[in-house]
Amino acid sequence: METLKFKTNIKCGGCIAAVTPFLNEAVGEGHWQVDTQAPDKILTAEASNAAVVKQAIEKAGYKAEPLN
């Protein structure tokens, strides 16, 4: 696994609650976090496949652009 970072439009606790079940299923509970204070709302995830993380975010109705 590697540390992947994404620019997202996840802005608040409600948004995090919406993406939580999708990200927990995709990468596992405790393997991701979102910095809603950062201007780019950075999602950091411990995963081996960026496409899986991006797909989980999109299933929840949000956007994610890989940064690394």
Side-chain angles (χ1 to χ4, degrees):
M1 286 203 202
E2 57 185 294
T3 301
L4 304 174
K5 292 186 182 266
F6 299 83
K7 175 181 177 182
T8 72
N9 60 346
I10 299 169
K11 299 177 183 173
C12 64
C15 301
I16 291 174
V19 300
T20 292
F22 296 95
L23 283 173
N24 282 351
E25 181 180 333
V27 299
E29 188 173 346
H31 294 280
W32 63 272
Q33 64 181 16
V34 179
D35 183 356
T36 57
Q37 301 300 311
D40 287 340
K41 314 303 181 198
I42 303 297
L43 164 66
T44 304
E46 298 292 327
S48 56
N49 189 334
V52 170
V53 177
K54 184 175 180 183
Q55 186 178 27
I57 294 294
E58 290 174 350
K59 277 184 185 176
Y62 294 89
K63 296 178 183 176
E65 297 176 30
L67 295 177
N68 51 347

